[in-house]
């Protein structure tokens, strides 16, 4: 399975290495650097590389490469999924997954890696189990640690590993028992130049924040489960119950977790909440171009569109932009050639507009790409998944329950 | 072996590398410290660390270890600290210890001799009463790559494989590949361990052992047979990573064991002529495939019966399907490939949705999934057609993802959707990403070749692209157009003319070469233009790229052959230029062509055929997907992704012609009994399989592990009790003992090959209990009848007997007496035997290394907590008490002796006293009856004769099975008898007369409600599920304050199980104890939950369909817990 792991930063330095079997020289990474060189963009490095004696499987997260070395046949997704789990765990522990954070906590990270794999095979990947073995740092604890010289190694043994509910710690206690669920629906859409929808679908996710005492057994039921076309669950959800009754029955992990991902069936038409009128043209003759974008609300059913943001990836040849926005502010990053227009709240009376001129080099090719992000605070779409009730079994206190609905733009793109 | 040596080489390199790192560091230090000799600084720093490690303060040690581990993590060499670090391996501080382990695993290989010093610590750890410590000791021990300790590791693994803790067994499974990579010679022994662990019934072990199987002996598919169904059933509860490994292995297994489910589809098609497959659109692609299939198999098929799917095949498909909903992409992919390779065509469709879902994941996941989807779309296009739009490309996708999506879109294109796809392609061409644009143009070309209807449209579109501003686009179009034109050149001379014009502008060599080739090839269609092009090219010849030069020569030659008048001079000029070219290929080509086309005397007969050679009709190129035929690799595998066999890849076998015997998967009862001693030859095993009757499943499934689990209490107790006296020398002697045992067993096997089924049950204990074997012979028939019983019954039977056996073991003196009792009450006892023996055997195995274990184990309820405390790690205690809850899913025996009730007092009975107790044994003549064990004592001076019962008065529905008449009870003697009463799940008394030859006594037996049930085994999930269904009226909850003596879990369990005949249900929380049982008559579920809170507050919940029983049980348990 996984032989070794190298963490490589953006500039190509290996700043952490971990070997689960015998040591493999870091010179093996040279093949990777070669591919990295060739790919120009870091995200274009092939995730799987073949070298004479090894296979390299890498992921790119937070400007870092997690490069694993494999010697024999293994399902590539197995490794990729695991590497992402490592990154998730680091993020979970330290709040972010960056070079600085990892370097600051190098011993903890190393220990985590030690626990997560045994001889290259995943051993403990549940965050709750890991947290029992190696405690995540908190401000208080780091102060205590510096005073007493102790570390973050847990002194209790990870009994969670032994239970058949490995995702939950034993003996959880809260004074305020709360269970919050965020139903977040994201609109993935591609609009073409004229504004017609090429492709649109809704992907949803239920993020949960459960802080309940003891070993509660929750049941979450929906008003309109028929809406769900395809779902994937956290391992705590009982498949059979879902199959037969269309309710989510689970013993929740402690804290924040993603309960379910779902896809709203494509039979339901997706209402796109905004429209875009755009024209970007580059003059054949001179070194300049013109840009004019207007955004307006559409099918929002009286809800306001918030946090509206438009990102435009300009062709390399665009040197600068001289624009005026009727609402919000815009920035143009000269190195990445990205124009960001932060609009904020969309006002239906006065439509925001951005127009002006672009100065370019002579040779212009290709079109800019748009990505829009927006957020709708309230339940917006007619076909939104609705939670009907949450029941708790196994514990006798009354938890505080809450559900929040949110619609956001997912991968929302306008073509030019 | 080769692997090992290469590792060593790598190792050396690494050391150098590490050295390099040191230099760097030194340099740094110099800068910072601004002084000191360059080679002084480093050792000094390490001296500093050594000093810290030698100090008495844990905090200093910890600080030093942290710095050392940080060095390791950064890839710096810290090997010279080895002696200083290894000393701390026995450090009391758990944090230091952990870091030392980390260090040790990293450097042991380099410092083998010193590493040996630490081994004894781990050996000690292997015998620790705490399972987690045993596991971690084994984990570190097996991670130390020192060849000398191979025998120790082997022994440790064997021992751990029969540990009662599933977690330790899991660790043992993890250790197997480690040992195998260290010393492949151990393979045979390891396979035995794997075989044993494969039989394990816990989800915790399943994934790890299959992983070991895949690494050590993937070819031994025969080991899977008996575990196949179990693996299928456990699959959903195995952790994610294990699921991936198991599914991949089962795919291979299924390919060897079942018939191709799609065999008949081709047959059907053959029969009904034009009848279409499930997915109408499949035909184009599939036709060829199926044609082949038909041709190959048709003769054989004609004879074959219609295909019926093996139920085991169906089981696999059914049990993997829900996993498509997993959040783990690897699991989803594994199921998808399983369906792709194993499912009937009509069912494969379900995976499409899940795979499409993965496309929203990280780009690396997308990359792998798209590769696999690309392969699938070639074979089964219809499956993904509904999701066409999900493969539309976003401008933000990385190029490699775009190209793969393009591939999928191209594969999905057919007559109906081509217009949509082409429109989509058109927008892609405008993209900024040049590589992607080029790929799009190629994709258009492929669509055009595959779908005749749109060929012209595509061609026109591509020709339009020729006027694109972007040279790359034009160039790529030219290349594609060239390929398309080859299919029907006559019709397109104007396109060729158009392209000829482009030579002035296009600079991309490949495009120029393509145009020149086209013009040369079809010079007859453009007779006027061709020579002119050659003229231009001749002018620029010297400045062209090699590939263009070659095509110029080519063009010249072809023109010379068709139109020598106009081009003779030009050709000669070109050839002359080429003659002096720097590139030898071009010089070669020129020389060759000159000889061929310009006939001289020397040139042979070949030049006559020059025209035929150059202007032969060339077959049009086929634009194929690079993913064609990749599906001979198992999908989702590394080999598939690379399209090359990766090391260690196991070929996906072809379907067998005829299905192998499905009976090999039938589960036998005692096969899971550990057998180290000898791996009997395969034939023998097969013999067994055939001979063995079809035992009921439940028996086979519930047996071994439960016994192992339930035993954990008593065993750990014993270990802890003896822990301090361990001696290192113990292991050897035990080993030899094992040897002798094994020999004996071998003999056994040879001698008693035929009688084996029965004998096997006894074998392990034969030496110790040979005296009892005679009785056993008598009991055999009964056991047989047992086997025929219904599932649930046999299950509960076994548990009950188990509980008793563990009890009997623990209290040695008592147990003897009990055994005697049992002999007398023979009827109810039969199943006790085998299970108990198994327990004993288990015991022996566990103690391979530890002599002390032979001491009689103290009973579970007297777990000597205090002895733990001496073990220095108070934390272990916590762990242990927690682990208890989890690890003892099976019955905890009603610990104290059964409660006796008085039936007849000595005085009222005139010398005859009768006591009775509820033995909690199954009453074998009638399963619905509660067994009541009676003890008659004759205190009188005269004998009592003809003791029997009469005049039974019962409530309606109740029944009684009388005890056999006791003919003579001499004075001062006691006798025992068992009677059965069916109480109909009520606490109504059974009244009857007890008669002697002279007297009659009215007596009555009233059962406590707790005796009206029998324990059943539920998993936590089942428990929850059942509980969920028994809400409302059926749930009774009481708050209570626990008795001061009964605040710990153990006491609670003991008191509840004493009060009611229930079995413990495993539970993840230590705040809750759960119990389950069924009422004896109606088999209604009885679920009891005791949730403890602070200060002895607790809550008791009873869920039972029978409300009356529920209410009474609550009272009884309440009483038991509060007193």
């Amino acid at each position: 399975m996984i032989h070794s792991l190298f963490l490589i930063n953006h500039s190509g330095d290996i700043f952490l290495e971990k070997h689960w079997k015998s040591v493999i020289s870091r010179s093996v990474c040279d093949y990777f650097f070669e591919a990295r060189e060739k790919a120009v963009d870091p995200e274009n490095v092939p995730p799987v590389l073949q070298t004479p004696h090894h296979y390299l499987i890498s992921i790119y997260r937070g400007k870092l490469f997690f490069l694993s070395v494999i010697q024999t046949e293994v399902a590539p997704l197995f490794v990729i999924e695991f590497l992402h789990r490592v990154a998730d765990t680091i993020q979970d522990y330290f709040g972010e997954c960056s070079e600085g954070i990892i370097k600051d906590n190098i011993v903890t990270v190393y220990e985590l890696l030690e626990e997560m794999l045994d001889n290259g095979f995943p051993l403990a990947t549940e965050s709750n189990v890991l947290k029992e073995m190696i405690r995540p740092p908190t401000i208080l604890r780091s102060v205590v640690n510096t005073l007493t010289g102790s570390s973050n190694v847990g002194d209790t043994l990870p009994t969670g590993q032994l239970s058949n509910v490995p995702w939950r710690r034993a003996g959880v206690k809260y004074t305020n028992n709360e269970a919050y669920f965020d139903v977040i629906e994201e609109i993935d859409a591609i609009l073409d130049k004229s504004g017609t929808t090429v492709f649109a679908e809704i992907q949803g996710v239920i993020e949960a924040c459960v802080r309940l005492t003891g070993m509660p057994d929750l049941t979450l039921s929906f008003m309109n489960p028929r809406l769900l076309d395809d779902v994937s669950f956290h391992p705590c959800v009982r498949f059979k119950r879902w199959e037969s009754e269309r309710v989510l029955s689970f013993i929740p992990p402690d804290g924040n977790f993603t309960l379910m991902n779902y896809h709203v069936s494509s039979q339901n038409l997706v209402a796109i909440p905004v429209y875009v009128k755009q024209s970007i043209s580059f003059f054949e003759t001179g070194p300049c171009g013109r840009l004019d974008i207007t955004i307006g609300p559409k099918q929002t059913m009286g809800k306001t569109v918030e946090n509206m943001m438009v990102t435009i990836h300009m062709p390399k040849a665009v040197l600068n932009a001289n624009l005026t926005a009727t609402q919000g502010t815009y920035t143009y990053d000269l190195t990445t050639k990205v124009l960001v227009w932060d609009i904020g709240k969309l006002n239906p009376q006065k439509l925001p507009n951005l127009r002006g001129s672009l100065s370019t080099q002579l040779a212009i090719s290709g079109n800019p790409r748009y990505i829009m992000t927006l957020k709708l605070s309230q339940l917006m779409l007619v076909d939104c998944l609705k939670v009907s009730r949450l029941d708790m079994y196994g514990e006798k206190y009354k938890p505080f329950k809450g559900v929040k609905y949110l619609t956001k733009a997912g991968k929302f793109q306008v073509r030019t | 072996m080769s692997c090992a040596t290469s590792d060593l080489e790598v190792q050396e390199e690494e050391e150098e590398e590490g050295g390099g790192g040191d230099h760097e560091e030194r340099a740094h230090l110099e800068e910072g410290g601004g002084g000191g000799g360059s080679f002084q600084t480093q050792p000094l720093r390490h001296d500093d660390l050594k000093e810290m490690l030698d100090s008495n303060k844990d905090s200093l040690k910890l600080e030093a270890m942290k710095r050392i581990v940080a060095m390791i993590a950064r890839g710096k060499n810290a090997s010279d600290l080895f002696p200083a670090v290894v000393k701390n391996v026995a450090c009391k501080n758990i944090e230091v210890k952990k870091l030392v382990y980390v260090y040790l695993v990293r450097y042991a290989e380099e410092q083998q001799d010193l590493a040996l010093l630490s081994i004894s610590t781990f050996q000690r750890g292997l015998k620790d009463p705490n399972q987690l410590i045993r596991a971690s000791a084994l984990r570190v021990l097996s991670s130390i790559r020192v060849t000398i300790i191979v025998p120790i590791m082997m022994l440790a693994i064997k021992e751990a494989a029969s540990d009662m803790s599933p977690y330790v067994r899991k660790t043992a499974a993890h250790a197997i590949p480690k040992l195998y990579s260290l010393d492949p010679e151990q393979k045979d022994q390891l396979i035995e361990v794997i075989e044993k662990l494969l039989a394990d019934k816990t989800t915790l072990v399943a994934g790890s052992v299959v992983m070991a199987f895949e690494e050590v002996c993937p070819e031994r598919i025969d080991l899977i047979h008996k575990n196949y169904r179990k693996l299928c059933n456990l699959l959903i509860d195995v952790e994610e990573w294990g699921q991936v490994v198991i599914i991949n292995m089962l795919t291979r297994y299924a390919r060897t064991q079942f018939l191709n489910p799609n065999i008949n589809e081709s047959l059907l098609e053959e029969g009904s002529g034009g009848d279409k497959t499930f997915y109408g659109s499949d035909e184009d692609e599939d036709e060829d495939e199926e044609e082949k299939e038909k041709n190959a198999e048709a003769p054989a098929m004609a004879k074959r019966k219609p295909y019926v799917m093996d139920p085991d095949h169906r089981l696999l498909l059914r049990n993997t399907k829900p996993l498509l909903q997993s959040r783990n992409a690897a699991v989803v992919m594994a199921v998808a490939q399983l369906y792709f390779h194993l499912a009937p065509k009509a069912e494969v469709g379900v995976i499409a949705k899940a795979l499409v879902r993965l496309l929203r994941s990280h780009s690396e996941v997308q990359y792998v999934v798209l590769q696999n989807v690309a392969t699938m779309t070639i074979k089964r296009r219809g499956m993904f057609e509904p999701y066409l739009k999900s493969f539309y490309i976003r401008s933000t996708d990385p190029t490699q993802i775009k190209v793969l999506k393009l591939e999928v879109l191209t594969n999905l294109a057919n007559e109906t959707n081509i217009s949509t796809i082409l429109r989509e392609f058109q927008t892609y061409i405008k993209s900024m990403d040049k590589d992607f644009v080029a790929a799009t143009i190629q994709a258009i070309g492929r669509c055009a070749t595959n779908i005749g209807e749109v060929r012209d449209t595509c061609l026109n579109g591509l020709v339009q692209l020729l006027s694109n501003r972007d040279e790359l686009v034009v160039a790529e179009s030219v290349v594609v157009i060239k390929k398309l034109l080859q299919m029907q050149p006559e019709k397109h001379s104007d396109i060729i003319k158009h392209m000829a014009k482009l030579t002035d502008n296009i600079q991309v060599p490949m495009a120029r070469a393509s145009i020149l080739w086209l013009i040369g090839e079809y010079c007859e269609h453009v007779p006027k233009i061709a020579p002119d092009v050659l003229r231009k090219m001749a002018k620029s010849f010297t400045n062209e790229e090699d590939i263009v030069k070659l095509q110029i020569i080519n063009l010249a030659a072809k023109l010379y052959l068709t139109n020598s008048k106009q081009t003779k001079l030009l050709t000669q000029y070109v050839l002359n230029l080429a003659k002096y070219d720097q590139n030898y290929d071009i010089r070669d080509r020129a020389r060759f062509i000159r000889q061929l086309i310009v006939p001289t005397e020397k040139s042979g007969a070949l030049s006559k055929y020059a025209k035929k050679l150059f202007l032969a009709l060339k077959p049009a190129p086929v634009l194929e997907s690079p993913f064609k035929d990749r599906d001979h690799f198992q999908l989702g595998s590394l080999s598939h992704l690379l399209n090359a066999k990766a090391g260690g890849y196991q070929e996906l076998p072809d379907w067998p012609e005829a299905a192998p015997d499905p009976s090999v998967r039938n589960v036998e009862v005692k096969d899971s009994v550990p057998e180290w001693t000898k791996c009997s030859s395969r034939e023998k095993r097969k013999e067994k399989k055939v001979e063995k009757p079809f035992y009921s499943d439940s028996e086979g499934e519930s047996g071994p592990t439960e016994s192992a689990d339930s035993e954990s209490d008593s065993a750990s107790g014993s270990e802890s009790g003896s822990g301090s006296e361990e001696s290192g020398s113990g292991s050897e002697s035990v080993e030899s003992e094992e040897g002798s045992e094994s020999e004996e067993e071998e003999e056994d096997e040879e001698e008693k090959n035929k009688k084996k089924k029965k004998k096997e049950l006894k074998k392990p204990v034969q030496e110790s209990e040979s005296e009892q074997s005679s009785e056993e012979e008598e009991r055999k028939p009964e056991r047989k009848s047992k086997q025929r019983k219904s599932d649930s019954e046999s299950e509960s039977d076994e548990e009950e007997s188990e509980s008793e056996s563990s009890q009997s073991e623990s209290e040695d003196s008592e147990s003897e007496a009990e055994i005697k009792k049992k002999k007398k009450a023979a009827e109810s006892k039969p199943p006790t035997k085998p299970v108990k023996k198994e327990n004993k055997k288990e015991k022996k195995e566990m103690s391979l290394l530890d002599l002390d274990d032979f001491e009689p184990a103290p009973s579970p309820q007297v777990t000597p907590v205090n002895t733990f405390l001496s073990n220095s790690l108070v934390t272990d205690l916590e762990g242990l008490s927690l682990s208890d809850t989890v690890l003892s899913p099976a019955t905890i025996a009603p610990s104290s002796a059964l409660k006796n009730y008085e039936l007849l007092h000595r005085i009222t009975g005139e010398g005859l006293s009768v006591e009775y107790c509820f033995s909690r044994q199954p009453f074998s003549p009638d399963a619905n009856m509660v067994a009541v064990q009676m003890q008659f004592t004759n205190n009188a001076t005269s004998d009592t004769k003809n003791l029997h019962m009469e005049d039974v008065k019962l409530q309606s529905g109740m029944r009684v099975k009388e005890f056999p008449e006791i003919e003579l009870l001499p004075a001062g003697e006691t006798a025992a008898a068992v009677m059965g009463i069916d109480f109909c799940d009520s606490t109504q008394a059974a009244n009857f007369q007890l008669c002697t030859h002279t007297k009659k006594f009215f007596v009555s037996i009233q059962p406590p409600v707790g005796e009206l049930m029998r324990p059943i085994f539920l998993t936590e999930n089942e428990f929850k599920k059942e509980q969920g269904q028994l809400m409302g009226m059926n749930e009774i909850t009481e708050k209570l304050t626990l008795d001061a003596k009964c605040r710990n879990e153990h006491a609670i369990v003991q008191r509840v199980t004493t009060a009611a005949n229930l079995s413990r249900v495993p539970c993840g929380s230590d705040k809750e104890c759960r119990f389950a049982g069924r009422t004896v008559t109606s088999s209604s579920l009885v679920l009891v939950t005791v949730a403890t809170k602070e200060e002895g507050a607790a809550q008791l919940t009873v869920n039972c369909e029978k409300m009356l029983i529920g209410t009474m049980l609550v009272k009884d348990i309440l009483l038991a817990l509060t007193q």
Side-chain angles (χ1 to χ4, degrees), chain B residues 14-29:
Chain B
E14 162 60 24
E15 272 173 274
E16 283 165 26
E17 179 82 13
D22 284 349
H23 283 294
E24 267 175 43
E25 189 155 286
R26 274 174 212 138
H28 268 290
L29 282 170

Side-chain angles (χ1 to χ4, degrees), chain B residues 31 42 63 72 79 99 172 176 183 234 350 430 439 470 490 526 657 666 718 761 771 803 842 924 1000 1004 1008:
Chain B
E31 278 166 37
Q42 184 71 6
E63 184 53 36
I72 296 174
S79 59
L99 293 172
I176 291 169
D183 182 10
L234 287 185
V350 296
K430 292 183 211 152
D470 195 317
E490 333 53 59
V526 282
E657 279 288 306
N666 292 348
S718 80
L761 305 177
E771 16 127 27
S803 62
E842 199 89 40
S924 49
K1000 288 183 180 179
S1004 80

